[in-house]
Every structure is written in structure tokens, then in C-alpha cells.
Amino acid sequence: MATFDNNTTQTNVSAFYCRFNEDFKYILLPVSYALVFVMGLALNATALYVIVFRTKRWKPSTIYMFNLTMCDTLYIFTLPFLIYYYADENDWPFSEPLCKLIRFLFYANLYGSILFLCCISLHRFVGICYPVRSLYWVSARRARLVSVAVWACVLFCQAPVLYFSRTRDVANERICYDTTSAELFDDFLVYSSVVSVLMFAVPFMVVMVCYGLMVRKLLEPSWGSEGEAGGESRGLGAQRQKQKSVKMIIIVLATFMLCFLPFHLTRSLYYSFRYLRQVNPAQISCSLLEASSIAYKVTRPLASANSCLDPILYFLAGQEVRSNLTKKNKSSSSSKPTGVSQGLTTQL
């Protein structure tokens, strides 16, 4: 049986031997994680400040954005440990429980972000395509219940990571596996494949369908009058609502296409090649396995970068958010007709 370690620079096979040159990751990962840490911490801290201290009336989308920001913030605080680990060339100086926790938080952030972005997209889809019915379907109470369900789903589905992630002493180093040990890889492959389908592929398809229907609705010449009749816009022009919706579509799709999709594709490819080489080493060459491993490691910082893109979804939603950053008394004037813009801003 072949044994693989995707954190070390070599891959051992009982009858075959592959040596990987992955020194690039000792520069790529610490530098990229440091950039994500600095930018993500600043952006998410600002977003949390605006949401918690400057937003008096929480709309459903405000609740989703708060949970999304909390999800990102928890992950950002784990990055200093990973920066130190990879800068020290895969020598984990901390305990195994901390290794498990950090790997768990990475995947919890990844799939928590995907699900909350899906919730935001569905919420906006209902408001655009069914403006009258959305008054009955959407409420802050239901948004809280959905958020609790999302967290429960994420924690339940990612709990096995606490089992699979572990440390192992190799030579004079202690490895903190980002997948699992070689003897558990087959089980981890099944688990990872199921999670990828349920928590990435399905939400991604839902988002694409929602945005396709939203774009078709926004392109209708009569769009806007129906929303105003239902009371959704309340003084905001249809053109302004359309601009907000277009911004949301662009940012969310960019997050999926740049952060989530490349990571899942390269990871699936790499895991498949690892498994196939275990079954039949002659079927997958070392060069092919190494190429897939490099591609996977290059996309890992992209997956982390979603922590920087998520707050932008909030800041670019509308003018009210930017005004709240500079005007302390904005909330008093937002109780008038323009006050609805705060709800629509976070509603995106």
C-alpha cells in the first residue's frame, strides 16, 4: 500500500518512491497568509464595527453578513500559527489539539462562508424575483433560525476533521497534517468527497441558478414597478437597486470563481491522483502527482483570500454603509425614507 504525506517534501511508496520539490510553499504560504491576515483582520474588524455599533435595525441580510464576518474572523486568528509553521518549514511547535483546531477552523470557515453566501444570494433572489411574497417569506427571526442551522450543519459536517487531523514526528520535525495520516487517507478521501459535493457543489449550483434568474428579471423593462408596488424599494430608485444587485452578483461570483472553485478542483484532482497511485503506481507518474500537488498548494491561499473578499461584499453594497463609517448620527436620519436603504444595503 502506498503511503502519502501531502505536508512533506517527499512521497514514500513501498515499492515506488516519489520525491517532491516543494520548497516554494515555504515562501508562498507564509507570505500569502500574512497578507490575508493583515487585510482580512482590518476589513472584518471594520465590518463588525459597522454592523454591531452603527446598525440599529438588523435586516435578515445583516444577520447573514454578521455570521459570515464572524466566520472569517475566527479563521483569521489562526493564521499566525500557520505562518510560523510554514516559515519554519513544516515544523509544528504546538500541541496536537491546536493542530486539529486550526485545521478544523480552516474548513469551518471555508464551508461556512460558502453556505452564508448562498443564504445571502437566496435572500436577494427572493427580494428581486418575488418582491411581494418576500414580505411574508423573509424576516429577521427566520434569518436567525437559518443562521443557527448553518452553524449546526458546518460544525457537524466538519467535526470529522478533528479526528483526521493529527501530528506526527518525522526525523527532527513534527508534521501537522492538513489532510490526515497515510493509513487514514482512503477514509478521508470518501469524507472529503461527500463534503465537497454537499457543501460546495450544491450551494454553487443554487447560487448560479439564482443569479441566472435574477439577471433575467433585472433585464425586464418593467422591472422596478412591481418592487415599488410591494413596498420593497420605498423611495429608492429601481436603478439604484439594480446597481446593488449587480455589485452583489459580481462579488459573490468572483469569490466562488477565484477562491472556492480552483481550490476544490485542484484538491479533488490531487486526492484522486494520490488514490490512483496507491492502487496502481504505474498508472500515475511522479511528475503528474507532483504537478497536481503544486497546483493544490497554490490554490490554498486563494481559498483563504475569501476572508478578504467577504467584507467587500458588505462595504460595496451601497452608500449607507460608507456613510455610517463617518457619520455618528446617521442612524437618526435613517429612520426616515432613506433609512430603508440601510436594510437594502445589507440586503444587497
Side-chain angles (χ1 to χ4, degrees), residues 104-117:
F104 168 80
L105 287 176
F106 170 80
Y107 289 107
N109 162 260
L110 179 70
Y111 293 111
S113 296
I114 290 173
L115 293 182
F116 279 117
L117 286 174

Side-chain angles (χ1 to χ4, degrees), residues 5-81:
D5 178 1
N6 101 343
N7 278 302
T8 60
T9 57
Q10 62 186 20
T11 299
N12 281 320
V13 184
S14 56
F16 299 86
Y17 187 79
C18 292
R19 180 178 294 276
F20 291 173
N21 182 11
E22 297 183 341
D23 292 342
F24 73 93
K25 75 178 182 180
Y26 302 132
I27 298 176
L28 172 66
L29 296 183
V31 171
S32 59
Y33 286 158
L35 291 175
V36 171
F37 175 76
V38 173
M39 295 178 60
L41 184 61
L43 291 171
N44 283 279
T46 306
L48 280 176
Y49 172 76
V50 175
I51 293 173
V52 175
F53 296 104
R54 295 295 179 85
T55 306
K56 288 192 174 181
R57 185 182 179 186
W58 284 31
K59 298 289 185 176
S61 57
T62 313
I63 296 172
Y64 293 137
M65 280 304 310
F66 172 77
N67 283 277
L68 179 62
T69 306
M70 285 299 300
C71 190
D72 291 336
T73 303
L74 288 175
Y75 169 68
I76 287 171
F77 283 127
T78 69
L79 288 178
F81 298 96

Side-chain angles (χ1 to χ4, degrees), residues 19 22 51 57 82 109 155 192 213 226 230 248 252 259 309 328 345:
R19 180 178 294 276
E22 297 183 341
I51 293 173
R57 185 182 179 186
L82 293 177
N109 162 260
L155 295 178
S192 177
L213 296 175
E226 181 183 353
M248 188 200 72
V252 174
C259 301
L309 291 180
K328 293 183 179 181
T345 291

